[in-house]
Amino acid sequence: MSRHLLSVDSLTRESVDHLMRVAARMEPIAQRRQVTRVLEGAVLGNLFFEASTRTRVSFHAAFCRLGGSVCDTTGFTFSSMAKGESLYDTSRVMSGYCDAIVMRHPDQGSVAEFAAATHVPVINGGDGPGEHPSQALLDFYTIDKEFTRLGKQLAGAHVLLTGDLKYGRTVHSLIKLLSLYDPMRITLVAPPGLEMPDYLIDLVASRGHRVEQRTSLADDYANVDVVYTTRIQKERFTAEMSEDFSLSRNFTVDRAFMDKRCGRDTIVMHPLPRDSRPDANDLDVDLNGDPRLAIFRQTDNGIPVRMAIFATLLQVEELIEKDLRPVRWFVPERVGVDDPSL
Ligand code: NCD
């Protein structure tokens, strides 16, 4: 892995496999059975200039679970960027305070610009409609774990990506990551105007994958293994687009869709948050008790995967095993009332 994690472009199949193995070793810590202090004394700078709950908090929690501490800042209002400070200056300043930095910013390319001004490892927590590499890694970890449970192979799998494929940065990183592996079938279902960028389709096709584009979820989708649905990213729409109601047409993945178009062993993923407001047409809550819904197993996987990213970038992954101790506090068997049993 390179010094920073800015894009899936810097990953190879070998480096992804390594991260997956390290993440699996983090499971006992993420599941609160064991603790480690391997990053004791290290400080993370967690800089979020765009809305976030799970990415910000799970990076924070992952660093803490490795024994490190976290300093953070949220939004432009309380940061010196509101006073006109450049990314370069902010980067140089933060590098003097922290051992690693996670940054989310609304402009594509901004996290790379920030990283160019520091030697401290920087992780892209989402740069506008650009990329979200740590999400792709946790999505891939989830697919791999679910496939192992279901006795499925990644090679030849059918993955359906739907929703806002133009502005959804998670799907940009995920499709690049999937493309590193053996050929699979990838179906892209987006409203006209919100399709996956051509350069990504070309990249994936050039690596031997079978890519198909559709505009409706009502089509017939045989043998889908993974349905990965995304929120319509209205905050990135231009003024003209906001008035185009066809963009918010029904792309809802719900129990009826799953029962009619998919099998008993098709998993449903979503990077979250799902937009629960009326007319958002996002992933339906009627799948909440359905074991095919993997979204909370997916969010749980964010911890071991982000721990693996930190451990690898800060080069402590080989020290973890020797540093483990049992947890001493009360830990419930399941964390959520909706966690369906498998
Ligand atoms: C996504 C993001 O911020 O790109 N959320 C996340 O990090 N899990 C998806 C979204 O906002 O729709």
Side-chain angles (χ1 to χ4, degrees), residues 50-52 54-55 104 125 132 135 169-170 231 233 235-236 270-273 306:
E50 245 192 6
S52 174
R54 74 221 78 235
T55 305
R104 170 172 287 190
H132 194 346
Q135 179 72 42
R169 55 195 170 199
T170 68
R231 181 178 66 86
Q233 314 270 303
E235 69 274 27
R236 306 204 194 282
H270 190 305
L272 300 184
R306 292 191 163 116

Side-chain angles (χ1 to χ4, degrees), residues 48-246:
F48 275 70
F49 299 107
E50 245 192 6
S52 174
T53 301
R54 74 221 78 235
T55 305
R56 182 170 54 84
V57 177
S58 66
F59 268 122
H60 191 133
F63 208 80
C64 291
R65 291 211 186 273
L66 288 168
S69 313
V70 184
C71 311
D72 57 18
T73 169
T74 307
F76 286 105
T77 324
F78 297 107
S79 111
S80 287
M81 287 197 192
K83 299 177 183 172
E85 186 171 59
S86 66
L87 282 167
Y88 181 94
D89 285 5
T90 306
S91 175
R92 171 59 189 86
V93 170
M94 289 304 298
S95 317
Y97 302 160
C98 306
D99 300 289
I101 296 170
V102 177
M103 183 172 175
R104 170 172 287 190
H105 192 284
D107 298 336
Q108 187 162 354
S110 55
V111 184
E113 189 184 333
F114 180 91
T118 176
H119 295 291
V120 170
V122 174
I123 300 167
N124 179 2
D127 59 328
E131 276 213 48
H132 194 346
S134 67
Q135 179 72 42
L137 286 163
L138 79 88
D139 291 341
F140 186 73
Y141 185 76
T142 304
I143 293 172
D144 190 49
K145 211 166 142 182
E146 297 284 319
F147 275 24
T148 303
R149 177 175 68 78
L150 295 164
K152 291 188 174 192
Q153 299 291 321
L154 193 60
H158 185 184
V159 179
L160 184 148
L161 306 177
T162 184
D164 186 344
L165 305 183
K166 177 177 180 177
Y167 295 115
R169 55 195 170 199
T170 68
V171 282
H172 299 166
S173 291
L174 179 60
I175 200 167
K176 278 187 185 177
L177 206 154
L178 291 175
S179 78
L180 296 173
Y181 286 81
D182 291 341
M184 50 191 103
R185 181 173 166 197
I186 300 177
T187 303
L188 306 170
V189 191
L194 295 181
E195 294 97 345
M196 181 68 77
D198 285 340
Y199 80 94
L200 285 169
I201 296 178
D202 295 345
L203 174 87
V204 174
S206 75
R207 290 180 177 167
H209 300 271
R210 182 172 147 204
V211 187
E212 246 178 84
Q213 283 189 279
R214 307 273 191 97
T215 52
S216 168
L217 273 183
D219 291 359
D220 203 15
Y221 296 104
N223 308 320
V224 181
D225 297 296
V226 180
V227 175
Y228 188 105
T229 174
T230 59
R231 181 178 66 86
I232 303 289
Q233 314 270 303
K234 282 224 166 93
E235 69 274 27
R236 306 204 194 282
F237 282 15
T238 58
E240 308 83 73
M241 288 175 80
S242 303
E243 281 152 32
D244 184 353
F245 296 109
S246 65

Side-chain angles (χ1 to χ4, degrees), residues 248-268:
S248 52
R249 247 183 31 207
N250 201 338
F251 276 78
T252 305
V253 170
D254 56 10
R255 186 179 283 274
F257 170 81
M258 290 303 294
D259 289 346
K260 189 154 177 222
R261 313 264 166 213
C262 300
R264 287 305 312 158
D265 60 357
T266 306
I267 57 162
V268 181

Side-chain angles (χ1 to χ4, degrees), residues 33-49:
R33 287 185 274 118
Q34 292 185 299
V35 287
T36 177
R37 306 289 306 162
V38 85
L39 282 189
E40 189 166 19
V43 176
L44 171 71
N46 212 19
L47 312 183
F48 275 70
F49 299 107

